[in-house]
Amino acid sequence: MNSPKLRSLLLVSILSALALSGCGSIESAAQQDCTSIGWNIGSQGYNDCYKARLYERKLDYSLPPGDKPSPSLL
């Protein structure tokens, strides 16, 4: 592990694993919201609820119009 190449490869792999672990978080949270209020997965009410909650959550986490993303310090 003394090689700088190995250290950078390890760092990149850890960061990519962390980034990929958060990919399904919005979708899974929307699914949890709809199942927690009693909708059964696959029903029409569940599908409508899921689409609405997914849209709301994407709006919550999106940047305001005209705002430019800034680089993260992490």
Side-chain angles (χ1 to χ4, degrees):
M1 269 322 234
N2 291 336
S3 170
K5 287 183 181 181
L6 285 177
R7 273 189 243 143
S8 62
L9 181 61
L10 178 65
L11 180 63
V12 167
S13 63
I14 289 172
L15 289 177
S16 62
L18 288 174
L20 289 175
S21 68
C23 285
S25 62
I26 293 174
E27 288 85 1
S28 63
Q31 183 180 17
Q32 267 185 334
D33 289 345
C34 295
T35 54
S36 68
I37 59 173
W39 289 111
N40 291 324
I41 295 177
S43 67
Q44 183 60 38
Y46 170 83
N47 292 335
D48 293 340
C49 174
Y50 178 77
K51 288 177 188 175
R53 291 300 297 149
L54 189 62
Y55 177 74
E56 290 172 6
R57 286 186 175 273
K58 284 184 178 181
L59 282 179
D60 288 343
Y61 293 109
S62 66
L63 291 173
D67 198 11
K68 294 179 183 172
S70 60
S72 174
L73 297 176
L74 295 176

